[in-house]
């Protein structure tokens, strides 16, 4: 469909674990677009050089993941609203004379949450967010934009939660201590793990869910494994669960549109392809 091939990349350290190349490769094929999406494992000290090289090679842009999101925020010359509000950039769009920095994680989390639970449920009560890193900022921003009346947040390192609250400046955000599970979950209609805990090969998030009402839904940003131990425990208690794969697919839509000029669709067939890859 496009005249000359177009290229985009994922820059991480490491980058190999990501499903992004499968996601964008699926859409490239579906839309008959000539181009490629490559995953680059780049150490932090080489991040700036890598970005310059991609621009010289006329890449359309890149996804940026752990541990480069902070550097990406500093390098971006123009920010979209969500990147400015969250102070996190997960996407570069390389224009001729400037680097655009976008945050598509907030969009991805919000769209998927509404698709899975419905907007009325999401707005029906307080939400509890665990974590204060880049993903947590996107989650908090998305919940705020969806009109969640109260967003409670706890992070292992309190100083990082304090910084998040200072920078996001949201009237609906309330910080709690890391072990105040009762305060976090009482009367909540949603709980979200936005930490790295639960990823394949790592420790599991062992938090008591006793105070979480059974009507509350439980979401996880981690998508590998698809059903984290937290989601397993939540399902066993009867909660509705939302895994991280939906967020991943939906955050990719605006990236793909910006780089390749076509707005792709999130379909059951795409999800099945990604699930298949996760199962190995
Ligand atoms: P960051 O490094 O920015 O933040 C990590 C967070 O995890 C911090 O809150 C940190 O707490 C917490 N944490 C780490 N280890 C522990 C532990 N042992 N106990 C308690 N808390 C811990 O990472 P990101 O926010 O960028 O990424 C978080 C997760 O979100 C990753 O798994 C990533 O893959 C996923 N993600 C998924 C997306 C999707 O589309 N599904 C999109 C973006 C991210 P502390 O401050 O105390 O260190």
């Amino acid at each position: 469909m496009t005249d000359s091939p177009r290229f985009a990349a994922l820059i991480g350290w490491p980058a190999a674990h990501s499903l992004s190349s499968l996601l964008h490769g699926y859409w490239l094929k579906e839309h008959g677009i000539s181009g490629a999406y490559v995953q680059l494992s780049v150490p932090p000290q080489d991040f700036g050089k890598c970005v310059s090289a991609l621009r010289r090679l006329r890449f359309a842009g890149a996804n940026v993941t752990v541990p480069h999101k902070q550097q990406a925020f500093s390098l971006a010359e123009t920010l979209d609203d969500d990147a400015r509000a969250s102070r996190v950039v997960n996407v570069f769009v390389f224009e001729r004379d400037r680097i655009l920095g976008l945050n598509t994680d907030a969009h991805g989390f919000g769209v998927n949450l509404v698709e899975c639970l419905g907007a009325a449920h999401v707005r029906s009560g307080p939400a509890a967010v665990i974590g204060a890193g880049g993903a947590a900022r996107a989650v908090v921003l998305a919940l705020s934009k969806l009109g969640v009346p109260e967003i409670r947040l706890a992070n292992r390192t309190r100083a990082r939660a304090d910084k998040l609250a200072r920078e996001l400046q949201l009237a609906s955000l309330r910080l709690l201590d890391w072990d105040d599970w009762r305060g976090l979950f009482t009367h909540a209609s949603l709980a979200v793990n936005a930490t790295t805990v639960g990823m394949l090969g790592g420790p599991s998030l062992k938090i008591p869910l006793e105070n979480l009402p059974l009507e509350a839904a439980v979401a996880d940003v981690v998508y590998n494994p698809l059903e984290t131990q937290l989601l397993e425990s939540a399902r066993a208690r009867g909660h509705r669960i939302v895994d991280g794969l939906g967020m991943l697919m939906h955050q990719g839509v605006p990236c793909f549109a910006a780089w390749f000029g076509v707005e792709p669709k999130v379909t059951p067939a795409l999800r099945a392809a990604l699930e298949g890859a996760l199962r190995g």
Side-chain angles (χ1 to χ4, degrees), residues 17 64-67 69 88 90 104-106 108-109 130-139 154-161 178 193-199 203-205 220-224 243-252:
H17 67 283
V64 180
T65 186
V66 183
K69 287 186 184 173
V88 178
N90 72 299
T104 64
D105 284 340
F109 181 78
I130 303 159
R137 283 171 179 249
V139 166
N155 190 53
R156 180 182 59 175
T157 308
R158 176 63 189 233
R160 202 164 176 192
W178 175 242
N193 172 40
T195 74
T196 48
V197 188
M199 289 171 78
S204 302
L205 197 62
D220 208 319
V221 297
V222 172
Y223 62 81
N224 190 9
D243 62 48
L245 190 57
M247 175 185 181
L248 180 82
M249 295 187 293
H250 283 287
Q251 68 74 34

Side-chain angles (χ1 to χ4, degrees), residues 47-65:
F47 180 72
K49 277 184 271 178
C50 173
V51 172
S52 304
L54 293 178
R55 292 187 76 191
R56 276 198 305 278
L57 290 167
R58 305 236 181 281
F59 270 58
N63 278 130
V64 180
T65 186

